[in-house]
Amino acid sequence: MTVDTESCKPIPSPTVGEPPSLLPSDAVLRLLEDGAAFIERGELDNAAHLFARASESAADGDDRAGYGRAQAQLAALEESRGQVDKAFGHNRLAQESFLAIGDGEALVQSFRVDGFLHVRRNEHTAAAHCFAKALSLAIQFDGRLVLTTLDQVVPVANYLVEADQSTALLPLGAALAQAVESLDLVQNQEVREFAELAATVAGALAPLGVLASEPHLTDAKRRRLAARSTHQAWHVDALTKRRWELAALVKETLQSKLSFHEELD
């Protein structure tokens, strides 16, 4: 089934002075839940039909939260089908709704979806900046969002290594580093700790990208960059009890992609 995003009516702004709700209406929520059940059974056409109905119902009821979530579900569904252009369109509509109601957590998730869509197009720099936007916003909320974002960033880095796209680790690492530059502004100690972890992940990826993209580096410079990346990766593994096996990813990148065959102490 083809879902026409143009058929979804624009949702009016909330009444002045009335705070918007971040929760969909019960009717829209039921449609979204039923659609999710169809996805679990692999019935994507039925799921798309229910998500489209949820979108239309939300538009009719001035339910921005429901509209945004319905569009986000359609974006994820079309991404799973490989329909990248359609997924981008749905995700744009979702982001507009989430911005309008101030749903930061939903925006973080939406930015991450954009990142994966750009990866599908081999637009690795654009993907890096989307993940960085997600991370920057997550740092303003809670550590769980930061960790969830990193849970998706590290597999993307692994994918880039396996796809022989190690040079893309430089913009990915640099974008993540830029996302955590304002650590001093983070007041919540728990969030700050997760943000510092994010900075360490960035410090592991960026040097690998430099090594892959600069073939004329001196041996001494290569060693310094490799040592920096390895040290940061080991630190991440220690902090997360090897949650992402980042040290193994760094070792694989150095050895198989950059012809660096020495163990680093």
Side-chain angles (χ1 to χ4, degrees):
M1 172 183 175
T2 300
V3 180
D4 182 8
T5 58
E6 296 301 321
S7 66
C8 298
K9 301 177 183 177
I11 300 177
S13 301
T15 303
V16 175
E18 178 184 333
S21 172
L22 301 187
L23 298 176
S25 67
D26 290 342
V28 171
L29 188 58
R30 282 194 295 271
L31 287 170
L32 294 176
E33 289 173 345
D34 289 345
F38 275 124
I39 285 181
E40 290 184 2
R41 297 198 293 268
E43 300 178 31
L44 300 187
D45 286 345
N46 288 332
H49 176 68
L50 287 183
F51 293 152
R53 280 181 55 196
S55 177
E56 293 166 1
S57 176
D60 289 339
D62 297 348
D63 177 4
R64 282 186 179 269
Y67 182 80
R69 289 173 187 256
Q71 290 296 325
Q73 291 281 27
L74 285 167
L77 187 149
E78 295 299 352
E79 191 273 339
S80 71
R81 288 171 155 175
Q83 299 296 319
V84 175
D85 290 342
K86 288 183 180 179
F88 266 122
H90 289 302
N91 212 33
R92 290 286 83 72
L93 294 173
Q95 287 177 13
E96 290 171 5
S97 293
F98 296 146
L99 278 169
I101 64 176
D103 192 340
E105 182 169 345
L107 268 176
V108 170
Q109 296 169 351
S110 187
F111 290 152
R112 294 197 304 248
V113 170
D114 271 349
F116 285 113
L117 291 172
H118 282 297
V119 168
R120 277 188 173 271
R121 284 181 170 175
N122 294 319
E123 298 168 348
H124 301 125
T125 300
H129 289 295
C130 288
F131 286 119
K133 281 200 303 182
L135 188 59
S136 294
L137 189 57
I139 289 170
Q140 300 178 39
F141 289 95
D142 62 49
R144 177 182 55 83
L145 280 174
V146 175
L147 198 61
T148 302
T149 302
L150 291 176
D151 270 337
Q152 297 184 343
V153 167
V154 174
V156 167
N158 200 1
Y159 161 78
L160 293 173
V161 170
E162 292 175 352
D164 201 20
Q165 297 291 330
S166 297
T167 55
L169 295 178
L170 175 56
L172 181 59
L176 294 183
Q178 186 176 17
V180 296
E181 279 183 351
S182 59
L183 281 179
D184 290 340
L185 302 179
V186 178
Q187 301 299 320
N188 184 306
Q189 180 60 33
E190 179 188 4
V191 177
R192 183 181 177 85
E193 290 174 357
F194 282 108
E196 289 173 345
L197 172 63
T200 308
V201 171
L205 298 181
L208 293 179
V210 174
L211 285 164
S213 58
E214 299 291 340
H216 303 300
L217 290 172
T218 65
D219 186 61
K221 180 68 172 178
R222 288 170 61 83
R223 287 174 178 275
R224 284 196 297 272
L225 288 169
R228 184 190 310 168
S229 183
T230 305
H231 173 76
Q232 297 285 71
W234 283 341
H235 187 51
V236 171
D237 280 358
L239 288 174
T240 61
K241 296 182 173 60
R242 304 180 69 81
R243 180 186 185 105
W244 301 306
E245 298 287 344
L246 200 58
L249 171 65
V250 168
K251 181 177 179 181
E252 176 188 355
T253 309
L254 291 172
Q255 291 184 342
S256 65
K257 309 300 179 187
L258 304 174
S259 301
F260 189 90
H261 298 288
E262 296 183 26
E263 291 291 333
L264 295 168
D265 296 325

